[in-house]
Amino acid sequence: MASFNFAAWPPQLTPEQLEALTLAATTYALSHGLLYLPPSQSPSNTQPRIPTTAIHAPLSLIPAPFPRAQFQAARGLQSVYNVLYARVAMDTQFLDTVMGAEEGVGKADEFTGTLWRGWKKIREHGVVQPLHLGLFRSDYMLHAAEDRLALKQVEFNTISSSFGPLSERAAAMHRNILASTSYFSASPHLIADNFPENNTTSGLAEGLAKAHEAYGVRNARILFVVQPNERNVFDQRWLEYELLEKYISISPIIHRLTQHDRHQIHVVRQTLADLAVSACLDPSTHALTITTPSLTNPSPYEISTIYFRASYTPSDFPSPSYYDTRFLLERSRAIKCPSLPLQLAGGKKVQEALTRPGVLERFLSHEGATWDTRALDLTAHAADIRATWMGMWALNSEDADIAAVLDHLPISGQGQENIPPGTRLARIKAPSLVLKPQREGGGNNVYREAIPAFLDALPAEEREAWIAMEMIETPRGVSGYLVRASPSSSGTDNGSTEKKVVRAEVISELGFFGYALFGEGEVVEREMGWLVRTKGTESNEGGVAAGFSVLDSVVLV
């Protein structure tokens, strides 16, 4: 790894080679379901109910270089992170303090506060389903510091951790290009041993199947709660097909199928608006049933597991009735992925709170644990976990350590007596920081030079909703070939390589997936795959669905 020159990546290609690789990549993607729905051409931005066209997902022609040691380190930490966030979700007092609307971030952030208040009301009436399912993703970048590369966590996702199936297909695409072209022997690093396997689809489906099994009703179905006009439908459909084709439901046991077995774990897809009409809760058993349109009579289906690919952003709740529907689902006996406490556990404020002295160690310990005193003691991993974190703090922090840092800086505190030390330090260190709110989905953060003006405009009562985090400084000079599908509104596209492929200086982000089923006894969990998203250095954000980056994979160096 020490001899690898990131600034010399990617290897040089002739125009003819670049065209051949682009053809290989795009045709593989279109042939193997590495797809998106195209942007809507309607004024209302709606997608057709029955799609007739698809485009390949944005992708990278050559995989991103990533040190083998850091890749393996991230993989090894995923099980620890799975258990950590399971335990956070089961610590009601901690979540009330950090994320609640009475003494936590929910006071300043209305969306978080509304979710927390709904959860609190459900707790007061009695939670009927003790089990939670998490399909997690822990995202990392390489941090170049002191002549070495360190693995640093961007965030930990507990809701709608997307692109597992499509990332598996992106990795398969790169392996296929390697097999068919050898990448024209352009680099000695582009060999099969450096292209790790990625089986995310089966792992995510396994987590959903285990929750379905734990529910224990043979003919129940899994509910996917989706956003209207979703373009990233194929990423979700691959999970649906995996459940239908590879598992058989025989209460109370789920069997992986052989080639000749029949298969039946069915999925129902509904938006929150659909569920406002179709969902019904049995008043005595709390079983959730969904009535779907039928060619004959409406068919009610009992739901075993609710997988949320929506409800993570305020725009998913255009009116209070949408929250009512979300809370109805939470009150049901179905296993939620995630439950409200697990969704709250994924907040940026929790990420920051875990960095405080002793907090991580308490969650990794089993002594006096509210989750299960028989649980494994994982405190031996605390140093490795902490080593993945950048410095971070709350904007409203009055922490003595932050105040001490300010005291040693050659600046004047005159006129800032009423401004919290956390905000003052964020202003001073703005060129090396990102500010993060309690939001998912991309496009929400404030970066570097934009921070001072943002702090000037931020009302004092909203500071509690934000954290400051040191920027991860990735290796400089790394480039990539980025391929986007850009169908024109006129429908004309000459398909030229020059228009389709852009060589740009890039930053890559590695995410590892894991699942955890927990709430009664031990945490059932495992790591099960990874993704890479690559973006141009001019973009601060990293969301593929939000249009900032492309799907990629890794070449281990």
Side-chain angles (χ1 to χ4, degrees):
M1 188 276 293
S3 62
F4 184 80
N5 183 4
F6 281 86
W9 195 262
Q12 291 297 317
L13 297 168
T14 67
E16 295 76 16
Q17 291 170 341
L18 188 61
E19 183 170 2
L21 293 180
T22 304
L23 177 63
T26 56
T27 53
Y28 184 96
L30 291 167
S31 301
H32 290 81
L34 181 49
L35 301 173
Y36 258 28
L37 291 180
S40 172
Q41 300 299 321
S42 73
S44 59
N45 199 37
T46 57
Q47 289 287 340
R49 185 168 182 85
I50 300 177
T52 57
T53 60
I55 59 176
H56 66 75
L59 51 88
S60 174
L61 278 188
I62 300 179
F66 207 91
R68 189 181 301 270
Q70 279 85 347
F71 183 88
Q72 296 296 352
R75 169 173 279 164
L77 288 176
Q78 187 59 41
S79 283
V80 183
Y81 269 115
N82 291 343
V83 176
L84 170 62
Y85 274 84
R87 292 177 179 180
V88 169
M90 289 187 284
D91 193 326
T92 300
Q93 183 178 353
F94 176 80
L95 288 176
D96 285 350
T97 301
V98 175
M99 299 295 286
E102 294 174 0
E103 54 180 314
V105 72
K107 292 188 300 180
D109 186 287
E110 182 58 29
F111 176 59
T112 301
T114 301
L115 294 179
W116 179 85
R117 284 188 292 269
W119 174 44
K120 183 173 184 287
K121 187 174 182 180
I122 292 168
R123 281 153 41 192
E124 290 169 349
H125 287 84
V127 175
V128 299
Q129 177 54 262
L131 292 176
H132 316 244
L133 175 65
L135 296 183
F136 302 137
R137 196 185 70 232
S138 185
D139 294 334
Y140 303 92
M141 287 182 178
L142 292 174
H143 181 57
E146 300 176 358
D147 298 324
R148 67 183 186 89
L149 294 177
L151 184 75
K152 293 296 181 179
Q153 188 183 62
V154 178
E155 63 181 359
F156 191 89
N157 302 274
T158 65
I159 183 169
S160 190
S161 301
S162 57
F163 291 109
L166 291 195
S167 292
E168 176 179 330
R169 282 152 183 82
M173 176 195 71
H174 285 145
R175 289 195 300 273
N176 178 270
I177 294 174
L178 177 68
S180 61
T181 71
S182 299
Y183 278 103
F184 305 107
S185 301
S187 168
H189 296 285
L190 293 170
I191 59 174
D193 286 348
N194 294 336
F195 285 53
E197 289 290 327
N198 190 8
N199 299 305
T200 308
T201 307
S202 60
L204 292 169
E206 179 182 304
L208 290 165
K210 283 191 176 293
H212 181 82
E213 171 187 357
Y215 188 81
V217 175
R218 172 176 177 147
N219 294 320
R221 300 194 171 197
I222 294 177
L223 170 65
F224 282 20
V225 181
V226 299
Q227 293 174 321
N229 303 310
E230 173 67 78
R231 293 181 58 209
N232 188 27
V233 294
F234 302 102
D235 187 60
Q236 301 167 9
R237 289 291 189 181
W238 281 118
L239 282 180
E240 180 180 339
Y241 304 151
E242 183 81 5
L243 288 163
L244 188 68
E245 297 167 3
K246 302 291 178 63
Y247 290 91
I248 182 167
S249 176
I250 307 176
S251 181
I253 300 173
I254 301 293
H255 288 288
R256 182 93 173 162
L257 287 173
T258 65
Q259 183 176 356
H260 304 293
D261 288 330
R262 61 192 181 92
H263 29 77
Q264 61 174 87
I265 295 185
H266 291 265
V267 167
V268 179
R269 291 172 57 87
Q270 298 249 304
T271 65
L272 285 174
D274 296 331
L275 291 163
V277 177
S278 65
C280 181
L281 205 60
D282 187 286
S284 57
T285 66
H286 297 278
L288 175 68
T289 56
I290 304 296
T291 301
T292 59
S294 171
L295 294 177
T296 54
N297 297 318
S299 306
Y301 298 111
E302 185 170 351
I303 299 301
S304 68
T305 307
I306 306 171
Y307 176 40
F308 287 98
R309 292 294 292 256
S311 84
Y312 56 82
T313 179
S315 61
D316 287 336
F317 299 88
S319 72
S321 65
Y322 285 74
Y323 286 104
D324 294 338
T325 301
R326 173 64 183 90
F327 298 147
L328 180 142
L329 300 179
E330 191 73 17
R331 294 199 308 271
S332 76
R333 194 165 66 86
I335 298 170
K336 274 70 68 177
C337 178
S339 61
L340 281 172
L342 186 53
Q343 180 174 347
L344 292 170
K348 305 300 184 294
K349 191 75 169 181
V350 169
Q351 186 183 12
E352 179 270 322
L354 288 171
T355 68
R356 300 171 193 169
V359 177
L360 170 67
E361 288 74 12
R362 182 177 73 82
F363 279 109
L364 295 182
S365 170
H366 61 73
E367 304 220 358
T370 59
W371 38 91
D372 185 357
T373 55
R374 299 166 296 170
L376 293 174
D377 186 334
L378 299 173
T379 50
H381 299 280
D384 291 335
I385 292 288
R386 285 193 178 276
T388 66
W389 294 339
M390 299 298 289
M392 64 188 84
W393 63 90
L395 285 189
N396 68 327
S397 176
E398 301 280 355
D399 189 86
D401 289 342
I402 294 178
V405 170
L406 290 170
D407 289 341
H408 286 85
L409 292 175
I411 57 169
S412 171
Q414 187 174 0
Q416 300 189 47
E417 294 80 3
N418 296 324
I419 299 177
T423 301
R424 291 165 55 195
L425 187 61
R427 183 183 298 276
I428 295 165
K429 299 188 69 173
S432 62
L433 295 181
V434 54
L435 303 186
K436 295 184 175 185
Q438 312 307 303
R439 292 289 181 275
E440 303 296 334
N444 301 299
N445 299 336
V446 181
Y447 292 87
R448 300 187 190 267
E449 288 75 14
I451 290 175
F454 174 80
L455 292 177
D456 289 340
L458 183 67
E461 63 273 14
E462 294 184 17
R463 290 172 183 146
E464 189 163 4
W466 292 79
I467 69 165
M469 177 177 165
E470 294 175 347
M471 287 288 292
I472 300 171
E473 303 295 349
T474 57
R476 295 183 180 275
V478 187
S479 294
Y481 291 106
L482 311 184
V483 185
R484 297 182 185 276
S486 303
S488 66
S489 58
S490 64
T492 61
D493 182 1
N494 65 14
S496 74
T497 304
E498 182 179 357
K499 290 176 62 177
K500 201 175 218 17
V501 182
V502 175
R503 178 174 172 138
E505 189 171 341
V506 297
I507 296 170
S508 294
E509 186 172 324
L510 170 71
F512 266 92
F513 290 92
Y515 75 74
L517 181 64
F518 61 95
E520 288 187 328
E522 67 174 323
V523 177
V524 177
E525 61 78 29
R526 79 174 180 92
E527 169 273 319
M528 77 294 194
W530 48 272
L531 69 72
V532 177
R533 294 169 295 174
T534 292
K535 63 184 180 183
T537 54
E538 76 282 355
S539 172
N540 282 314
E541 300 287 352
V544 178
F548 299 114
S549 59
V550 304
L551 292 172
D552 206 342
S553 71
V554 295
V555 53
L556 299 179
V557 297

